[in-house]
Amino acid sequence: MIEFKDVHLYYSGREVLKEISMHIPDGKITAILGPSGSGKSTIIRLMLGLIQPTYGEIFVDGIEISKFSEEELFPIRKKMGIVFQGNALFDSMTVSENMGFFLRENLNLPEHEIARRVDEQLKFAGLETHAHQLPDSLSGGMRKRVAIGRALIFEPEMILFDEPTAGLDPVSSNKILAFIGQLKKEKGLGAVMVTHIINDVFSIADDVLILYHGEIIFHDEPNKMQECDHPFVQSFLLDPEEL
Amino acid sequence: MGDYAEFLNERLKNFVHTMQEFYYFSTRTFKSFKATRRYWNEILNQMSICGTESIPIIFVSSLAIGCLLTVEVGNQLEGFGAKLLTGRTTALSVIREMGPIVTGLMLSARVGARNGAELGAMQISEQIDALRAFGTDPIARLVMPRLFAALVMFFPLTALSDFVGLVGGGIVAQIYHHIDPGFYWNSALNQLIVKDFVVGAVKPFVFAVIITLVSCFNGFSAQGGTAGVGRSTIKGIVVSSGLVLVANFYISKLVLENMNF
């Protein structure tokens, strides 16, 4: 479970996040929706401790992490896999090397155990035949699945997605969303998904949290959005392209 | 006037902030030397990239500088009837100054550009964040091996530069100034004293630290897409080259003024 208590973040003299308080339960898919520059991706970075809040507290499974050092954050980060917007794959490594990289780096596992875990993720992501290809030679959807496979390799309790369908064609987007749904169904994995696409939210999210100018203006189930009287939510529901 | 003061204040604040970040970055790099054994393969790889692969450029530039220096020095000394001192003057200039500075500037361009561009591209494609997010210290993984490799390889490259510069000078002395090689080498080597070697030997280590830390820091600070990578790479080269020149002056001054043997 992830909890934010009165989190504020200033960047270059600008208040990027204002008084964010929320809690994200395990085993559910929570979407963070908002226009560009509203602070969505910043929230994911705060959850992983990649940046620290100016004020406020962040709890992961009841542990306050906002002042943790890099070393102290490692066990916390192992609980959460992340899929970056641009995938952040190492372009000089093959698909299987990308997936196994962090196991080799951080866990003292025998090579056969690393190979087993990599094979398992390759199979789950449907990429067995692409194991020895470089990421550049794959389609956008496949690269996303490699990034998801890499995020799953530590067997995390939650997975964070930064714009998982950005830049993908509709077919690939649907496949990725189905894949995220499959993770929840088959592995019981909770997810936080940052997006600006409302269809993604209605497709798979259990909860939605709407950010506007660094503030949470809505946090509930997606079908309750209609009842929200905030002008941004109303105008957004009328014209989702406006986002 | 008020706007200008505000602008200056902002620039000063940014400068102090950058210096603070650079200090923190450098400290973390030196602290991560404890991970040397873990990243030994990466260190060897970096030694090959910054050392072995730099030999051709160091060879060509040092040969050119050594030859040119001997032509000019010989011409000047001839006017005083002291042409036979060409070897000594060339040796002092090459070992104390030209060898280290040519190596420093060439490596600043070659190694600094590579570090800045590679790490900058990793920064903008979130690969550095990915390393952190999955529990790998990017400084220990990416910067420390580069610094270690530079500290090991810059000294032999400078020695190579000195040797090639002197040999080039010797060839030109014989062909252009008609100085007997025996006279050239006798005058070049016999009167060198310990401090001449010390001043030339200290510089590559200082340059290794400057070039690696400045270029890597700029790579890590890259933002604003591919244009940002270009900007950070250029900044890394310009700043490290400038600092190499300044450091060169102060090391020479410090050693030559304080060492008497």
Side-chain angles (χ1 to χ4, degrees):
Chain A
M1 187 190 74
I2 302 170
E3 192 175 3
F4 279 43
K5 275 189 186 168
D6 291 331
V7 169
H8 293 250
L9 181 78
Y10 287 84
Y11 185 75
S12 297
R14 193 172 70 90
E15 193 170 15
V16 181
L17 294 176
K18 297 168 194 166
E19 215 185 322
I20 301 289
S21 293
M22 60 176 183
H23 108 265
I24 291 173
D26 291 334
K28 280 188 165 186
I29 298 176
T30 304
I32 302 177
L33 188 71
S36 299
S38 58
K40 308 186 294 289
S41 300
T42 308
I43 287 191
I44 278 195
R45 300 171 86 80
L46 284 166
M47 286 173 182
L48 280 166
L50 293 175
I51 49 174
Q52 292 184 335
T54 315
Y55 314 109
E57 295 170 311
I58 298 166
F59 294 88
V60 175
D61 287 343
I63 303 167
E64 212 281 292
I65 64 156
S66 64
K67 300 286 181 289
F68 271 18
S69 66
E70 289 285 310
E71 288 77 22
E72 289 170 320
L73 281 165
F74 180 47
I76 303 292
R77 286 171 177 164
K78 271 203 322 189
K79 294 179 180 184
M80 294 180 278
I82 181 168
V83 178
F84 288 93
Q85 186 173 354
N87 303 319
L89 297 173
F90 302 112
D91 37 24
S92 58
M93 293 182 193
T94 64
V95 166
S96 59
E97 284 168 347
N98 262 289
M99 284 190 174
F101 177 77
F102 290 108
L103 287 180
R104 285 191 182 88
E105 278 283 304
N106 299 317
L107 299 183
N108 201 15
L109 292 176
E111 201 53 40
H112 66 83
E113 174 60 16
I114 293 175
R116 188 193 66 75
R117 287 208 202 178
V118 169
D119 284 346
E120 190 182 297
Q121 292 310 327
L122 284 169
K123 204 175 283 178
F124 188 70
L127 292 164
E128 304 101 306
T129 53
H130 303 281
H132 302 295
Q133 281 180 248
L134 292 173
D136 279 353
S137 64
L138 303 176
S139 69
M142 282 175 172
R143 281 203 289 270
K144 191 64 78 183
R145 279 187 279 151
V146 177
I148 295 173
R150 186 177 69 176
L152 292 172
I153 207 96
F154 278 135
E155 295 165 354
E157 293 163 16
M158 182 171 275
I159 188 157
L160 314 177
F161 293 93
D162 191 358
E163 302 277 6
T165 59
L168 298 181
D169 60 81
V171 176
S172 302
S173 293
N174 289 337
K175 277 186 187 168
I176 292 298
L177 292 173
F179 193 58
I180 297 170
Q182 194 186 345
L183 289 174
K184 184 190 157 195
K185 203 172 156 189
E186 290 182 14
K187 297 183 184 259
L189 204 60
V192 176
M193 180 178 77
V194 159
T195 184
H196 66 280
I197 303 168
I198 194 149
N199 285 345
D200 293 1
V201 176
F202 285 115
S203 303
I204 54 165
D206 299 306
D207 275 332
V208 60
L209 187 154
I210 301 180
L211 269 185
Y212 185 65
H213 291 317
E215 283 180 279
I216 297 176
I217 55 169
F218 178 84
H219 188 177
D220 211 326
E221 291 170 16
N223 54 21
K224 301 264 177 68
M225 279 171 74
Q226 305 277 7
E227 296 161 24
C228 177
D229 54 6
H230 193 285
F232 172 75
V233 178
Q234 288 305 317
S235 67
F236 172 58
L237 286 171
L238 286 172
D239 186 6
E241 296 300 316
E242 276 295 296
L243 211 61
Chain B
M1 187 67 188
D3 284 353
Y4 188 65
E6 203 172 302
F7 169 76
L8 275 183
N9 184 36
E10 199 56 37
R11 292 296 292 262
L12 191 67
K13 245 168 49 181
N14 286 342
F15 176 76
V16 171
H17 183 247
T18 306
M19 287 297 103
Q20 198 179 2
E21 293 275 307
F22 182 70
Y23 171 76
Y24 179 59
F25 179 86
S26 307
T27 313
R28 278 187 61 200
T29 305
F30 282 108
K31 277 186 185 167
S32 64
F33 268 102
K34 60 180 182 239
T36 302
R37 271 185 66 177
R38 185 177 176 194
Y39 293 118
W40 188 241
N41 287 340
E42 182 57 19
I43 289 170
L44 289 178
N45 182 35
Q46 291 299 330
M47 280 161 103
S48 162
I49 291 166
C50 89
T52 319
E53 291 176 17
S54 298
I55 289 175
I57 186 72
I58 297 296
F59 188 92
V60 172
S61 49
S62 305
L63 188 68
I65 295 286
C67 293
L68 196 70
L69 195 68
T70 307
V71 169
E72 292 295 340
V73 166
N75 283 342
Q76 294 305 313
L77 290 176
E78 197 168 13
F80 300 99
K83 202 166 73 171
L84 293 180
L85 289 176
T86 302
R88 171 160 173 66
T89 316
T90 304
L92 276 181
S93 311
V94 166
I95 289 172
R96 280 185 188 174
E97 308 298 337
M98 297 315 290
I101 202 96
V102 166
T103 311
L105 291 176
M106 286 298 142
L107 293 176
S108 172
R110 190 181 178 280
V111 178
R114 187 178 187 279
N115 288 344
E118 190 176 328
L119 299 182
M122 288 184 78
Q123 175 65 31
I124 62 153
S125 61
E126 297 178 307
Q127 289 178 45
I128 290 177
D129 281 339
L131 285 171
R132 291 179 64 209
F134 290 104
T136 297
D137 179 359
I139 291 185
R141 180 72 173 73
L142 301 170
V143 185
M144 183 277 290
R146 284 169 163 81
L147 180 58
F148 193 103
L151 284 168
V152 173
M153 300 310 290
F154 278 24
F155 179 73
L157 286 172
T158 305
L160 173 75
S161 168
D162 291 347
F163 176 72
V164 172
L166 285 178
V167 170
I171 294 167
V172 169
Q174 189 182 1
I175 295 171
Y176 185 79
H177 291 303
H178 309 295
I179 297 171
D180 181 77
F183 273 113
Y184 174 84
W185 286 106
N186 195 36
S187 128
L189 302 177
N190 277 2
Q191 292 181 50
L192 287 172
I193 54 174
V194 176
K195 72 175 173 185
D196 299 325
F197 291 104
V198 171
V199 80
V202 170
K203 287 174 182 177
F205 296 103
V206 177
F207 295 168
V209 173
I210 290 173
I211 292 167
T212 311
L213 289 181
V214 170
S215 59
C216 292
F217 177 73
N218 277 287
F220 268 59
S221 317
Q223 51 187 350
T226 45
V229 176
R231 274 194 301 274
S232 69
T233 306
I234 291 170
K235 198 171 161 194
I237 297 170
V238 171
V239 173
S240 61
S241 302
L243 288 176
V244 159
L245 292 169
V246 174
N248 182 65
F249 171 75
Y250 279 106
I251 295 167
S252 292
K253 193 170 182 294
L254 208 69
V255 175
L256 296 175
E257 278 181 3
N258 294 296
M259 231 178 126
N260 298 313
F261 52 91

